[in-house]
Amino acid sequence: VNQILLLLVVLTVCAILYNKVHQMPSALKNETVDLETPEETEEIPVVVCAAAGRMGATVAAISSIYSNTEANVLFYIVGLKTTIPHIRKWIENSKLKEIKFKIVEFNPMVLKGKIRQDASRPELLQPLNFVRFYLPLLIQKHEKVIYLDDDIIVQGDIQELYDTKLAPGHAAAFSDDCDLPSTHEMVRSVGMQNTYMGFLDYRKQAIRDLGISPSTCSFNPGVIVANMTEWKHQRITKQLEKWMQRNVEENLYSSTLGGGVATSPMLIVFHGKYSAINPMWHIRHLGWSPDTRYSEHFLQEAKLLHWNGRYKPWDYPSIHTDLWENWFIPDPSGKFKLTRPES
């Protein structure tokens, strides 16, 4: 009898152990599923400058981007040492405190000896105008980067712009100045240039030696989608600096021509070697005239508006200021104020 009871106990223990062993994988599997975390979405780095006297533009640009996307945007806000505290306080004390951002200080000493002084439009010689030349030095960890001028408003989802395809071997994508028939009337009415003739001095031998037809369509570098690997591989920054230095010595282009001193080196270096941005992602020339306007329907369809030119939407006179003011956030410190007729 004792032997039978002992045998039954042994069999019972074995049965219990068998069930536990065979149930364990299922339990572990369920636990693993419960511990899984959702994969983080790709980070979209957006570079925008914060210049003295124009920080309201920076804030409006960031506000428009942040409000129109669900994407994981990281803003790189580039400023000079003297302007950084102001823009940081503005962001941290407004509804933009929720954004992801990094403040990057730009050292203007990198431009020493590379800018030819030109009194006709001194604002075009401000150091932050050249930040786009130095993207790989400022932004270290990203393969793809968006650069935007501060005088823009984004009405579309920035993810679409980030998804712009760059052809193999291209370090950047831009919008051609001839790519959108709807803007041609604006170009003609205010006498803007949209070919290389408007930016480079073809009387100079160094320009003629490039072999670029003066009637070649130009592009606007106020909106850039850049491939950092190609940029570094092709030494784009060094090439741009070379043409800046040559301009100091030979006056190959100037701000009296179409686009000032930051556009011309890029036209030379990227000629025939860039991809295209969807034209609706760069509707420009809103700052070229205080009178000539686009149709409201056309502007509503636009993904990005650019007030390039002298007439900025935070100043007076300017056009389509209502579209810009939709995204403006007042300065908590009261230092930056809009210029309006009633003021």
Side-chain angles (χ1 to χ4, degrees):
V1 173
N2 289 339
Q3 288 179 341
I4 294 172
L5 288 174
L6 180 62
L7 180 61
L8 289 173
V9 170
V10 171
L11 290 174
T12 302
V13 170
C14 289
I16 292 170
L17 290 175
Y18 178 87
N19 287 335
K20 284 190 174 182
V21 168
H22 282 265
Q23 287 174 2
M24 198 173 294
S26 176
L28 286 174
K29 184 177 180 181
N30 290 338
E31 187 175 319
T32 302
V33 170
D34 292 340
L35 291 175
E36 278 186 355
T37 55
E39 192 174 310
E40 191 173 351
T41 56
E42 184 177 9
E43 204 167 58
I44 298 179
V46 175
V47 180
V48 62
C49 295
R54 298 171 61 113
M55 289 190 196
T58 308
V59 166
I62 292 172
S63 173
S64 69
I65 295 166
Y66 180 66
S67 301
N68 287 306
T69 187
E70 296 294 326
N72 181 21
V73 180
L74 173 60
F75 293 96
Y76 283 87
I77 303 170
V78 186
L80 302 180
K81 188 174 184 179
T82 53
T83 62
I84 285 173
H86 187 186
I87 192 66
R88 185 187 295 278
K89 184 178 289 187
W90 197 332
I91 290 171
E92 292 177 349
N93 290 279
S94 72
K95 64 182 182 181
L96 291 181
K97 62 180 178 289
E98 302 297 330
I99 70 170
K100 290 172 60 178
F101 73 99
K102 291 184 179 180
I103 299 287
V104 181
E105 181 182 341
F106 182 68
N107 185 355
M109 289 304 294
V110 300
L111 302 173
K112 188 175 181 180
K114 301 183 183 74
I115 301 177
R116 184 184 184 89
Q117 295 304 311
D118 194 324
S120 60
R121 291 194 66 185
E123 74 275 11
L124 296 176
L125 303 178
Q126 295 301 315
L128 295 181
N129 283 342
F130 301 92
V131 162
R132 71 199 89 187
F133 290 15
Y134 297 93
L135 292 177
L137 302 181
L138 299 168
I139 314 301
Q140 301 291 336
K141 66 173 186 174
H142 300 283
E143 168 74 9
K144 198 175 187 181
V145 172
I146 294 173
Y147 166 87
L148 300 174
D149 277 354
D150 59 1
D151 51 356
I152 62 97
I153 287 295
V154 172
Q155 301 186 137
D157 186 341
I158 198 71
Q159 181 76 54
E160 292 179 31
L161 181 61
Y162 185 74
D163 290 340
T164 299
K165 301 295 184 186
L166 273 67
H170 286 177
F174 307 98
S175 286
D176 280 327
D177 285 327
C178 312
D179 60 7
L180 198 60
S182 304
T183 66
H184 293 175
E185 184 179 344
M186 171 79 85
V187 170
R188 287 191 297 269
S189 65
V190 298
M192 285 179 292
Q193 298 289 343
N194 60 2
T195 66
Y196 273 57
M197 175 64 84
F199 295 87
L200 305 178
D201 188 348
Y202 276 83
R203 296 171 299 179
K204 302 296 173 66
Q205 187 62 44
I207 297 300
R208 294 198 298 271
D209 287 346
L210 291 170
I212 302 172
S213 168
S215 62
T216 301
C217 183
S218 54
F219 59 81
N220 186 298
V223 176
I224 308 172
V225 181
N227 180 312
M228 293 293 92
T229 300
E230 280 296 335
W231 193 292
K232 288 182 280 192
H233 175 70
Q234 298 179 32
R235 299 170 62 85
I236 296 294
T237 297
K238 289 294 183 186
Q239 292 188 58
L240 292 167
E241 288 184 324
K242 181 191 80 170
W243 284 103
M244 292 169 74
Q245 289 168 330
R246 288 198 67 174
N247 183 58
V248 170
E249 299 161 4
E250 305 173 49
N251 195 21
L252 303 176
Y253 51 84
S254 76
S255 59
T256 56
L257 295 173
V261 293
T263 297
S264 300
M266 301 198 85
L267 291 177
I268 295 171
V269 170
F270 284 101
H271 173 252
K273 295 184 292 186
Y274 65 91
S275 297
I277 289 174
N278 181 332
M280 296 304 287
W281 267 99
H282 196 176
I283 303 304
R284 44 208 179 275
H285 313 318
L286 278 77
W288 271 84
S289 166
D291 305 308
T292 308
R293 305 173 68 90
Y294 288 113
S295 76
E296 293 302 323
H297 175 72
F298 176 66
L299 293 181
Q300 287 170 7
E301 296 294 317
K303 304 288 189 178
L304 182 148
L305 305 177
H306 189 184
W307 278 262
N308 58 312
R310 296 174 185 265
Y311 302 99
K312 303 302 186 185
W314 56 90
D315 281 334
Y316 179 83
S318 184
I319 59 168
H320 303 299
T321 54
D322 56 322
L323 295 174
W324 183 85
E325 274 195 63
N326 284 339
W327 306 107
F328 175 67
I329 299 170
D331 183 358
S333 73
K335 294 177 184 176
F336 182 94
K337 292 182 173 65
L338 302 182
T339 305
R340 295 294 179 257
E342 59 274 11
S343 63

